[in-house]
Amino acid sequence: MSKEIVSLSPDDKKLLIEIAAAMTKFEEEIAQKWDDLFVKSSNGLKESDRAIKNFKEAVWLLLTSLSDGDFDAYFNRIDEKGIDFAKTKEQYENLILSFHLFEEATFPYLQKSFAEKMKIVLTTLDHMYHNVIAILARAYFREMEKEREMFVNILAHDLKNPLTVIIGYSELMIERSRTGTLSKDKEYVYLNMIKDSGVRMRQLIDSTLYYGKLKSGKYSLIISEFDLANIAWEAASYLLTEAEKTPISIHINGHELREEVEGMTPVMIMGDRDLILRGVGNYISNALKYASSMVEVSLQERDEDVLISVKDDGSGIPTDHIDLIFGDYYMVPGGKPGTGLGLPSVRMIADLHNGKAWAESEGEKGSTFYLRLPKRQETGH
Ligand code: ADP
């Protein structure tokens, strides 16, 4: 089935094939001009943006598929691949802009090759570009819809379990109170179950909302200078109550975390404190979930950046999953309950700070999660 939205007449198609063939001759010059325009564009298009790089390659590929005259394959390809280049709103906008820059780069070569019929060439190209933009938009909306559906389903599904516990134990308490069979001990146990479920629901909602906010690209960083060692301490002590229920010890730069860590060397960096606290908190909370006896947080200060690592002695992550766990909703099969949104959030937090988030695992010996953050940030981001 053709994905064409603005229909192309046989004449349009004939001319487009001719244009594609003519432009192939100037491939190198156009590529050079296109690069120059990228550099000059003020919208923050980055050469390093992987999506843009892939997109540029794809445009060339598409050009060749056009010179074969296979329009269906051309549009299908945009429909299928378009979404790979537009995972976020910003990337999508970059994609449209880069397409525009491509048009601009080809313009002088079109003039050279088609001086006598420039008007009809531009009109025909317009038809084609409208198709491309419309197909990209359709692919983007389709993906967003899928994403939203998944988001709602996962949230609803994850909230159901703790809610069932809350309702179940409340009903039990009501029934036992009515019949006078609720002992003080049982009351204490049931209330704790209810509270724990409530806390779990709050965490779920909180992390899901945060993920949504980061994903929407609407998050503007609030940059300040702070002590990263303190952040690690704060994130870990927040989770200490959980850790205390289990025999797991938390160490930060070799200091065992109890109520207070004395003598920790400050590690000053600039960034969004709240986000970094969440990112580090995410790593530590995952580590606590999987560790058997210890979690080690280390801060390594270097010239330009700081490397934070969170190591646990848990079950580790199978090598074929290590690259996938930072993907949206990804959870290793057979793992502990979760949402699969924590690590993608950490990666977005790292990206927002021009840093990097990744993991390493030595089979069954546990895993280490890394977060590299530059010490300085441009303010007014
Ligand atoms: P969640 O923890 O809510 O499932 P995350 O995105 O934080 O979501 O983690 C994704 C998956 O990565 C987890 O489901 C788990 O399979 C794996 N994972 C994360 N941290 C660890 C860890 N410290 N040890 C082993 N597996 C981990």
Side-chain angles (χ1 to χ4, degrees), residues 282-283 286-287 289-290 312 315-317 325 327 330-332 335-344 367 369:
N282 245 308
Y283 274 178
N286 276 350
K289 216 153 88 173
Y290 288 91
D312 66 63
S315 50
I317 301 153
I325 52 171
Y330 195 84
M331 286 161 32
V332 179
K336 311 238 165 143
T339 54
L341 295 178
L343 295 178
S367 343
F369 283 78

Side-chain angles (χ1 to χ4, degrees), residues 29 47 97 131 141 150 155 161 167 181 231 290 316 370:
E29 288 101 312
E47 265 299 310
L97 177 63
N131 269 320
F141 285 128
M150 201 143 138
L155 188 59
N161 283 340
I167 296 172
T181 53
I231 288 273
Y290 288 91
Y370 295 94

Side-chain angles (χ1 to χ4, degrees), residues 3-22:
K3 306 270 179 196
E4 199 175 304
I5 293 171
V6 179
S7 73
L8 295 171
S9 69
D11 278 352
D12 282 343
K13 291 189 179 175
K14 217 173 116 213
L15 184 54
L16 283 168
I17 296 169
E18 210 184 309
I19 296 170

Side-chain angles (χ1 to χ4, degrees), residues 219-250:
Y219 203 96
S220 34
L221 296 180
I222 303 168
I223 305 289
S224 63
E225 194 175 22
F226 54 86
D227 175 12
L228 200 56
N230 192 264
I231 288 273
W233 177 80
E234 194 176 325
S237 19
Y238 181 68
L239 296 160
L240 190 65
T241 35
E242 267 174 60
E244 273 175 347
K245 287 186 204 157
T246 59
I248 299 168
S249 65
I250 309 181

